[in-house]
């Protein structure tokens, strides 16, 4: 029956959905004095009236020959305007991912603080942004060995609202 989906659609608020690519450089360290350097790409999603950003990213660590995939959800606690087109944002987030390197496979949970700037152009159609995150990554592998890293991903991207 099509009645339940139509009923749900009528009960929901109408939002524009922002969708777009981003690139990132991610540096960090762990407790074994390993330096981490990753480059990656992501797709971010944001509703125009909600302070929530969802990103699905992939990174490659050029120092340790490691690949990961991560999904994060950030909640912007503040987003005050600086000018007519520019705003500052800061918030908190979390995420989960997987990582593969050498012969190891790990699960990753992330806690993060994010802040940055976003610009709104073309009547809200286009939103370029730049952001920095400070994040703690907790890993566990198949043998239940654990590791913790602290990373500082810098991302830049653009979202288009439909």
């Amino acid at each position: 029956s099509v009645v339940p989906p139509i009923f749900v659609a009528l009960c929901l608020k109408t939002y524009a959905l922002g969708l777009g690519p981003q690139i990132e450089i991610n540096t960090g360290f762990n407790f074994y004095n390993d330096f981490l350097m990753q480059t990656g790409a992501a797709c971010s999603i944001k509703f125009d009236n909600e302070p929530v950003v969802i990103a699905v990213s992939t990174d490659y660590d050029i120092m340790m020959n490691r690949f990961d995939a991560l999904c994060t959800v950030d909640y912007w606690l503040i987003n005050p305007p600086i000018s007519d087109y520019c705003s500052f944002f800061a918030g908190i987030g979390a995420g989960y991912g997987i990582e593969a390197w050498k012969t190891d496979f790990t699960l990753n949970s992330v806690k993060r603080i994010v802040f940055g700037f976003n610009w709104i152009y073309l009547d809200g159609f286009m939103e370029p942004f730049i952001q920095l995150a400070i994040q703690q990554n907790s890993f566990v592998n198949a043998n239940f060995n654990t590791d913790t890293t602290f990373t500082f991903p810098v991302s830049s991207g653009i979202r288009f609202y439909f």
Side-chain angles (χ1 to χ4, degrees), residues 76-89:
W76 293 358
L77 298 171
I78 61 171
N79 190 20
I82 296 173
S83 69
D84 289 342
Y85 299 102
C86 182
S87 296
F88 171 79
F89 63 86

Side-chain angles (χ1 to χ4, degrees), residues 22 24 26 44 46 51-55 57 70-80 87-95 110-118 129-137 151-156 159:
Q22 72 184 47
E24 64 185 26
N26 190 357
S44 67
K46 183 177 183 301
V52 176
V53 177
I54 302 167
S57 63
L70 182 68
C71 179
T72 57
V73 178
D74 298 329
Y75 181 81
W76 293 358
L77 298 171
I78 61 171
N79 190 20
S87 296
F88 171 79
F89 63 86
I92 57 174
V110 173
K111 293 173 260 177
R112 52 196 259 145
I113 299 170
V114 296
F115 52 94
F117 296 93
N118 61 325
F129 63 91
I130 186 166
Q131 99 177 3
L132 169 67
I134 302 167
Q135 63 187 37
Q136 175 191 0
N137 306 279
T151 55
F152 310 96
V154 176
S155 303
S156 179
R159 285 184 284 267

Side-chain angles (χ1 to χ4, degrees), residues 37-154:
M37 174 63 91
Q38 296 176 312
T39 57
C43 179
S44 67
I45 301 167
K46 183 177 183 301
F47 293 101
D48 66 342
N49 292 335
E50 297 295 330
V52 176
V53 177
I54 302 167
V56 177
S57 63
T58 59
D59 291 310
Y60 180 72
D61 187 330
I62 58 179
M63 304 292 282
M64 300 180 76
N65 193 23
R66 177 173 50 199
F67 173 82
D68 70 29
L70 182 68
C71 179
T72 57
V73 178
D74 298 329
Y75 181 81
W76 293 358
L77 298 171
I78 61 171
N79 190 20
I82 296 173
S83 69
D84 289 342
Y85 299 102
C86 182
S87 296
F88 171 79
F89 63 86
I92 57 174
Y96 290 98
I98 57 172
E99 184 173 282
W101 65 296
K102 298 178 184 172
T103 60
D104 207 1
F105 177 81
T106 61
L107 299 177
N108 180 8
S109 67
V110 173
K111 293 173 260 177
R112 52 196 259 145
I113 299 170
V114 296
F115 52 94
F117 296 93
N118 61 325
W119 296 265
I120 304 295
Y121 295 114
L122 303 174
D123 279 337
F125 174 69
M126 183 173 65
E127 178 192 14
F129 63 91
I130 186 166
Q131 99 177 3
L132 169 67
I134 302 167
Q135 63 187 37
Q136 175 191 0
N137 306 279
S138 300
F139 300 96
V140 61
N141 68 10
N143 296 325
F144 297 102
N145 297 325
T146 61
D147 190 12
T148 299
T149 62
F150 293 92
T151 55
F152 310 96
V154 176

